[in-house]
Amino acid sequence: MAAFKSIKSLVPLLDRVLVQRAKAETKTATGIFLPESSVKELNEAKVLAVGPGGLDRDGKRTPMSVQTGDRVLIPQYGGSPIKVGEDEFSLFRDHELLAKIKE
């Protein structure tokens, strides 16, 4: 796992997308705290940065399907993990993202 001092120093290349996984609730609606072992990781993430897009056979940029700030559905496994302090992030390729979540 790569470690950096600041996430702002990381700029994705080509068709890569930098995301941060959404944290699962550790407290129920009635105020009961859940143990960490019972809280599953969510497959939802927020897009923090995107690359300029991949290149097609003619050398033209392929537009990215997501933008900074989008909420996306990511695969349970995969991506390249990155750690900044205590925070964890992941880099995925644009085509690896499962869906964009609309508000």
Side-chain angles (χ1 to χ4, degrees):
M1 181 181 301
F4 297 91
K5 291 182 180 180
S6 169
I7 198 64
K8 293 179 182 177
S9 65
L10 190 65
V11 179
L13 298 176
L14 298 174
D15 64 341
R16 289 178 179 81
V17 180
L18 178 67
V19 300
Q20 184 173 28
R21 191 181 293 267
K23 295 190 190 295
E25 289 294 324
T26 57
K27 188 167 100 172
T28 66
T30 57
I32 298 171
F33 286 94
L34 301 170
E36 280 188 36
S37 60
S38 70
V39 177
K40 277 180 50 177
E41 279 192 341
L42 297 178
N43 285 11
E44 183 180 321
K46 181 177 180 181
V47 176
L48 301 177
V50 296
L55 300 173
D56 65 12
R57 292 180 187 201
D58 299 324
K60 295 180 183 171
R61 288 264 177 226
T62 305
M64 298 292 283
S65 61
V66 295
Q67 299 175 19
T68 301
D70 285 347
R71 288 179 34 228
V72 294
L73 194 63
I74 57 174
Q76 183 70 33
Y77 302 102
S80 299
I82 299 166
K83 191 162 185 160
V84 178
E86 294 298 313
D87 295 325
E88 293 185 14
F89 304 90
S90 296
L91 268 173
F92 286 93
R93 289 195 175 270
D94 189 37
H95 71 271
E96 293 176 328
L97 301 177
L98 304 176
K100 186 158 68 168
I101 301 170
K102 293 191 175 188
E103 300 296 322

